[in-house]
Amino acid sequence: MSNARTARLTRRGLLAAGGALGLGAVLTACGDDGAKDGGADTKGSAKTGPWSFKDDRGTTVKLDEAPRNIVAFTGVAAALYDYGIEVKGVFGPTTTKDGKADVQAGDMDVSKVTVLGNVWDQFNVEKYAALAPDVLISTMFDDAGTLWYVPEASKDKIAKLAPSVGISVFDRQLTGPLTRMWELAESLGADMTAAKVTEAKKRFEAASERLRKAAKAKPEIKVLVGSASPELFYVSGSNLSIDLEYFKALGVNFVEPTEAAKKATGGWFESLSWENVDKHKADVIMMDDRSSAIQPADITEATWKQLPAVKAGQVIARSTEPILSYDKCVAPVEALAEAIEKAKKVS
């Protein structure tokens, strides 16, 4: 077990730190508890009889029947959607300022779910209660069992309304949470033998093998993982994050923050001023694709534009919070494999 697992951060501390998860901008975006109503019926599970599921906290939730009124963190809902399970309500980044689906919503029709909160600390408890939830499902970014995007101030009220399930996305490789989401979807009645599902898993495995071969063929290519905010540029470490731990296991050569910097942030990242964005040498840069981070095309800092990888056009998007279905995890793996295959040594 990684020593970093013992360096706990609270959810708020993790967000305040920003960088590795690219969520610093969320803190300044927090609004009131207003939420958007969806108008469509929720698809129910085909399962009959008692239902139980043991989550990554070691908690077993037992119900008389499989839950139909499911409320989930947006990214979890998007993963379940890919397996044919639709939720009734969501919380977390769901819509952008122009009303379109956030990247974390995947293929969901966001007009057909009740959005209980779209930003950090926003969760409309009254609307949650009105949904008569059977279960709440979220991910966890620490080893303390903290449910992601469930506000600290209202977590006790929320917990009284329905049992919860937590899927850990902390300090483990991507394949672990993918397996757990598969098991959860199956328990909820998803058809895991459907061609769409099995073929997506095969495509993910093929993409992973492609990345392994690319990394082995070009071990000299250094990959830096970044996230941009107006004030700072964050360099993520390859530990703790499920995607980076997996890519590292496949042989990808990551640029690592300094040990002192990682220690200061619980192992997650290093914060750099834009003047010092060239501190680390890299051939490929992966940038946080979430709406809470500034996207590469919108970065105006001259120091950024002068980075060798940027000048060479060797910048790709990173799904910092991967949607945990095999279908959605194919593209990020393929993109990194292609980037390494095509990369020129510029560092």
Side-chain angles (χ1 to χ4, degrees), residues 46-325:
K47 285 275 189 180
T48 58
W51 178 84
S52 68
F53 186 82
K54 186 175 182 179
D55 75 359
D56 291 338
R57 298 170 298 184
T59 300
T60 299
V61 177
K62 297 181 179 181
L63 299 173
D64 292 339
E65 60 180 4
R68 294 178 179 273
N69 292 350
I70 301 170
V71 173
F73 172 69
T74 302
V76 170
L80 292 175
Y81 183 89
D82 285 348
Y83 291 130
I85 302 297
E86 296 183 21
V87 308
K88 198 166 186 179
V90 296
F91 55 95
T94 307
T95 58
T96 57
K97 292 180 180 179
D98 57 6
K100 295 180 180 179
D102 188 274
V103 64
Q104 291 185 256
D107 292 333
M108 283 194 302
D109 184 343
V110 295
S111 70
K112 294 183 178 180
V113 292
T114 298
V115 181
L116 302 172
N118 201 52
V119 298
W120 183 254
D121 258 357
Q122 186 185 82
F123 192 114
N124 192 310
V125 180
E126 290 73 22
K127 287 189 175 182
Y128 177 58
L131 292 176
D134 294 320
V135 68
L136 178 148
I137 310 171
S138 190
T139 48
M140 300 181 297
F141 277 94
D142 60 25
D143 57 1
T146 307
L147 296 174
W148 191 234
Y149 265 78
V150 173
E152 187 71 21
S154 54
K155 67 177 184 178
D156 292 339
K157 292 180 181 179
I158 293 168
K160 291 178 181 178
L161 295 171
S164 62
V165 167
I167 301 297
S168 180
V169 290
F170 176 71
D171 196 15
R172 61 201 64 203
Q173 294 182 27
L174 177 60
T175 45
L178 275 173
T179 297
R180 294 295 284 143
M181 192 62 69
W182 174 291
E183 293 168 347
L184 177 60
E186 186 174 35
S187 79
L188 293 169
D191 180 4
M192 309 313 283
T193 65
K196 178 182 177 182
V197 174
T198 58
E199 289 171 5
K201 190 172 187 292
K202 290 178 181 178
R203 288 190 293 113
F204 174 81
E205 291 168 348
S208 297
E209 183 58 26
R210 178 182 175 185
L211 178 56
R212 186 193 303 276
K213 290 179 178 178
K216 184 177 181 179
K218 288 188 171 184
E220 73 280 4
I221 297 300
K222 296 181 180 180
V223 180
L224 182 145
V225 182
S227 184
S229 75
E231 296 81 19
L232 296 169
F233 182 83
Y234 304 100
V235 178
S236 180
S238 61
N239 293 327
L240 305 184
S241 298
I242 56 174
D243 59 329
L244 304 186
E245 289 207 9
Y246 183 56
F247 298 157
K248 182 170 64 174
L250 292 175
V252 175
N253 181 9
F254 284 110
V255 172
E256 297 288 351
T258 64
E259 289 303 316
K262 287 195 294 183
K263 184 177 181 180
T265 62
W268 286 100
F269 61 91
E270 177 178 9
S271 304
L272 297 176
S273 66
W274 283 103
E275 290 78 11
N276 295 316
V277 75
D278 60 352
K279 176 179 178 179
H280 300 288
K281 307 303 179 184
D283 304 296
V284 173
I285 300 177
M286 300 174 67
M287 291 295 289
D288 189 346
D289 71 350
R290 291 171 301 176
S291 55
S292 55
I294 300 175
Q295 297 307 299
D298 299 319
I299 298 175
T300 59
E301 300 290 341
T303 48
W304 163 262
K305 295 180 179 180
Q306 291 303 310
L307 293 177
V310 175
K311 294 173 71 174
Q314 295 176 177
V315 178
I316 63 171
R318 175 200 177 198
S319 297
T320 308
E321 286 187 59
I323 293 173
L324 297 173
S325 71

